């Protein structure tokens, strides 16, 4: 499932990257700039393309705008493979260490933003301490990645300045939003089709994919999804293994959306008392690898299913 959803609530104007297009030449180091409007802050670094990418330019950085939360930004000039993209999955290496993945969404032609998540905080420290970073994105699933190299000179001062003047995201609200869907069945099916298509296959929806359940006794219809009922013709066991198949449980919310309260491998899910479910597990969730099967009752605790005490 996607770690970050399109339409992230905070629409940060990535001014840093727009500012990078003025004044001509390439910037060798990280640069901090405040825009003409109060509260607009940005830090960025740019690189010029070489070889097959001669004439292209890519900028990467962080920014906030008028009180919005700190976020990542990226912009491209002359890169045809990026100009028409609505989203770009990016992997960043600081030295030998990889940062948590970034999913950028377009906010303008060749200009993108990605939310800063709690998982990225250790990566920010590595960006401050490193000498160079490498940014990779894929033009196609079966093609080698496009690779850009940036210096990290000045990154510590720039990022620490931004941390002082830009508010951090509400990570708890951000995490909950990432677990909320209007139609969980359609979202999981779309993700499965995307993963299967990479392997050259198609998805067939089998019996038992969606099961209505009464998770909390509130009257609204909650859902249990058996991801294993989605069969990929190129890899039948794409989400299944000896311990069972990937399953998820979704609690209906007052606004009509669904909150994911469970995502793990299980052999079965059965209704228990309101607020509880009986899971059949095998393997490590039964105490050790290869153990089981075993049954456990899990209860709804602070918006997530957890083993009942």
């Amino acid at each position: 499932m996607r770690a970050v959803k399109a339409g992230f609530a905070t629409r940060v104007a990535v001014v840093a990257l727009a500012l990078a297009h003025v004044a001509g030449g390439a910037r060798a180091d990280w640069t901090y700039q405040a825009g003409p409007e109060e509260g607009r802050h940005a830090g960025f670094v740019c690189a010029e393309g070489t070889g097959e990418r001669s004439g292209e330019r890519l900028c990467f950085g962080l920014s906030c705008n008028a009180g919005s939360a700190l976020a990542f930004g990226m912009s491209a000039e002359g890169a045809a493979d990026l100009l028409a993209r609505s989203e770009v999955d990016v992997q960043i290496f600081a030295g030998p260490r990889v940062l948590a993945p970034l999913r950028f969404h377009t906010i303008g032609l060749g200009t993108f933003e990605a939310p800063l998540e709690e998982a990225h905080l250790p990566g920010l420290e590595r960006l401050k301490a490193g000498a160079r970073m490498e940014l990779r994105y894929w033009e196609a699933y079966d093609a080698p990645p496009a690779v850009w190299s940036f210096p990290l000179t000045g990154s510590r001062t720039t990022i620490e300045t931004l941390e002082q003047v830009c508010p951090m995201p509400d990570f708890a609200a951000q995490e909950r939003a990432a677990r909320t869907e209007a139609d969980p069945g359609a979202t999981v099916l779309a993700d499965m089709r995307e993963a299967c298509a990479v392997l050259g296959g198609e998805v067939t929806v089998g019996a038992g994919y969606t099961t209505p359940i009464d998770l909390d006794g509130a009257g609204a219809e909650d859902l249990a999804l058996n991801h294993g009922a989605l069969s990929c013709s190129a890899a039948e066991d794409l989400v299944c293994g000896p311990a069972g198949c990937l399953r998820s449980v979704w609690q209906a919310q007052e606004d009509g959306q669904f909150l994911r309260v469970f995502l793990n491998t299980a052999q079965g899910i059965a209704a228990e008392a309101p607020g509880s479910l009986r899971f059949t597990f095998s393997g490590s969730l039964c105490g050790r690898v290869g153990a089981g099967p075993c049954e456990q009752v899990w209860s709804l605790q602070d918006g997530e299913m957890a083993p009942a005490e």
Side-chain angles (χ1 to χ4, degrees):
M1 300 224 10
R2 294 181 176 88
V4 180
K5 293 166 54 181
F8 178 63
T10 304
R11 301 294 297 168
V12 179
V14 191
V15 203
L17 310 175
L19 290 171
H21 296 315
V22 300
R27 299 181 184 274
D29 302 334
W30 279 66
T31 301
Y32 168 79
Q33 284 185 305
E37 292 84 2
E38 184 178 357
R40 180 173 289 186
H41 305 275
F44 61 91
V45 64
C46 297
E48 306 290 341
T50 59
E52 294 181 355
R53 295 194 170 275
S54 180
E56 298 181 10
R57 192 178 194 219
L58 188 71
C59 297
F60 170 84
L62 298 107
S63 69
C64 66
N65 183 45
S68 61
L70 187 63
F72 290 100
M74 183 173 72
S75 75
E77 285 184 346
D81 57 318
L82 286 179
L83 294 180
R85 299 275 288 271
S86 61
E87 61 182 31
V88 185
D89 291 322
V90 168
Q91 192 73 74
I92 290 177
F93 292 81
R97 304 287 297 277
V98 63
L99 279 65
L102 292 167
R103 170 158 286 187
F104 282 93
H105 302 279
T106 184
I107 58 171
L109 185 63
T111 308
F112 303 86
E113 70 176 14
L116 172 65
E117 300 174 3
E118 193 167 13
H120 296 130
L121 296 182
L124 285 185
E125 296 305 312
R126 291 196 286 275
L127 290 179
K128 294 176 189 177
R132 296 197 69 80
M133 61 166 275
E134 185 177 276
L135 184 152
R136 300 182 183 183
Y137 62 86
W138 283 258
E139 300 173 32
Y141 289 107
D142 56 353
V147 180
W148 291 79
S149 181
F150 299 88
L152 289 174
T153 309
S155 59
R156 177 176 294 278
T157 299
T158 299
I159 295 173
E160 289 182 347
T161 299
L162 289 170
E163 289 173 332
Q164 292 173 5
V165 297
C166 294
M168 282 289 181
D170 182 338
F171 292 125
Q174 189 183 77
E175 189 274 338
R176 187 179 178 91
R179 291 191 288 123
T180 301
E181 294 288 348
D183 188 344
T187 298
V188 171
L189 177 57
D191 287 345
M192 186 69 165
R193 282 175 170 160
E194 182 179 343
C196 184
V198 173
L199 303 175
E202 296 182 351
V203 170
T204 301
V205 182
Y209 170 49
T210 63
T211 302
I213 58 173
D214 184 5
L215 178 62
D216 52 14
E221 190 174 89
D222 308 304
L223 288 174
L225 301 184
N226 177 9
H227 301 214
L230 304 177
S231 177
C232 175
S233 60
E236 293 185 1
D237 295 331
L238 189 59
V239 293
C240 296
C245 295
L246 187 66
R247 296 174 185 263
S248 58
V249 177
W250 301 79
Q251 182 188 24
Q253 304 295 292
E254 292 182 357
D255 61 0
Q257 299 203 88
F258 291 84
L259 175 68
R260 192 186 72 233
V261 296
F262 175 86
L263 178 65
N264 211 324
T265 300
Q267 294 186 344
I269 301 176
E272 190 72 8
S276 299
L277 295 174
R278 183 174 295 274
F279 291 91
T280 302
F281 294 121
S282 182
S284 59
L285 286 172
C286 292
R288 61 181 175 82
V289 175
C294 65
E295 290 189 348
Q296 297 178 16
V297 175
W298 287 35
S299 60
L300 193 59
Q301 302 174 27
D302 298 324
E304 294 189 86
M305 299 299 296
E309 296 181 358

